[in-house]
Amino acid sequence: MKDLEEIKRDIWSTEDVEERKEKIVQYLLESLKEPRDTEEEDSGTAENWEPDGQEERTESEEGKKILEFLQDKVTDGMKLPELVDVFEKMSKISVGDWEDWEDMTLFEAGTYSFTGRPMFTVSLVRQFPNDEDEFYQLHLDALFLPEEKTKGITFSEWSDWVEGDFFAFVRETEIYRMMKDEMPAEVSIDLDET
């Protein structure tokens, strides 16, 4: 995939706003195809995340701030509605002077084996630049034991694809309505880099 500067030049090479949006979507879809590294012991979990590089940047400090916010506010026994509420509050905390398309939120769901066994995972992800042509991603994942009703579900929607309030959209999805009363088997919070 191209580095961030090439992507920015490509996106801004056209005057047509709709064409720019299409290019942004194309780059986002390409980035989703790249696998997340879940094997490394120090892959950026909430307990051991440290910013890379010799200088700590404002963005990494801001990333740590919103990570700590989630760690403080997410407690055992929270169901999906409370988790979405906390994530929505966190999403209003500034992490830098970024364009809207650079600081985005993702709502996704599906059955994945990130934990070593298949779990139906409902995720909220906040993505923002790290100033080195990559992004930080803060994940809040609610993991549920797979059931017949979750079989075959895959869903992914970025905030910039949604008109109006993103979290209102999340609360109206079939996935949210189906899982809102279920108790997650596990909730994880991770901050990593793309």
Side-chain angles (χ1 to χ4, degrees):
M1 191 167 160
K2 297 178 182 179
D3 71 21
L4 186 57
E5 290 305 314
E6 288 178 283
I7 292 171
K8 286 180 182 179
R9 280 192 298 274
D10 185 30
I11 290 170
W12 289 102
S13 67
T14 180
E15 295 294 318
D16 183 50
V17 174
E18 290 304 313
E19 189 175 332
R20 280 189 205 147
K21 287 180 182 179
E22 288 177 20
K23 287 181 179 186
I24 291 168
V25 169
Q26 176 187 5
Y27 286 119
L28 289 172
L29 290 174
E30 287 176 18
S31 72
L32 289 174
K33 291 177 185 175
E34 295 177 7
R36 272 179 51 192
D37 183 6
T38 59
E39 296 299 318
E40 284 186 14
E41 190 173 328
D42 292 331
S43 64
T45 60
E47 293 78 24
N48 60 19
W49 181 80
E50 291 293 332
D52 291 333
Q54 296 176 345
E55 287 186 75
E56 289 189 0
R57 296 177 306 278
T58 302
E59 292 77 16
S60 66
E61 287 301 316
E62 296 299 321
K64 287 168 60 172
K65 180 171 77 173
I66 61 174
L67 170 69
E68 290 169 0
F69 178 88
L70 284 184
Q71 289 173 326
D72 290 343
K73 301 295 183 192
V74 172
T75 60
D76 289 338
M78 281 186 154
K79 293 183 179 177
L80 196 54
E82 293 87 6
L83 295 171
V84 170
D85 290 347
V86 169
F87 201 90
E88 180 177 18
K89 288 175 186 167
M90 178 277 302
S91 73
K92 295 177 181 172
I93 298 171
S94 174
V95 291
D97 189 22
W98 310 115
E99 299 289 328
D100 287 347
W101 69 269
E102 293 177 299
D103 186 353
M104 296 186 303
T105 305
L106 172 68
F107 178 65
E108 63 182 342
T111 301
Y112 308 108
S113 298
F114 297 136
T115 62
R117 64 180 179 151
M119 298 291 283
F120 182 69
T121 306
V122 179
S123 298
L124 286 160
V125 181
R126 184 173 180 184
Q127 176 175 285
F128 55 96
N130 73 353
D131 269 349
E132 294 180 357
D133 299 335
E134 292 293 336
F135 292 89
Y136 290 115
Q137 289 187 331
L138 178 58
H139 299 259
L140 175 59
D141 299 331
L143 292 84
F144 301 88
L145 295 173
E147 300 179 52
E148 189 61 35
K149 70 181 180 179
T150 63
K151 189 175 183 178
I153 292 175
T154 57
F155 184 87
S156 180
E157 195 78 34
W158 285 96
S159 55
D160 67 335
W161 300 351
V162 173
E163 289 192 30
D165 182 77
F166 179 71
F167 291 96
F169 164 81
V170 168
R171 290 178 181 99
E172 291 298 317
T173 63
E174 183 62 33
I175 292 164
Y176 178 90
R177 289 194 304 263
M178 179 176 64
M179 302 308 293
K180 68 182 180 132
D181 296 322
E182 304 289 331
M183 182 60 70
E186 181 183 340
V187 174
S188 69
I189 301 169
D190 298 305
L191 180 63
D192 55 24
E193 291 184 88
T194 58

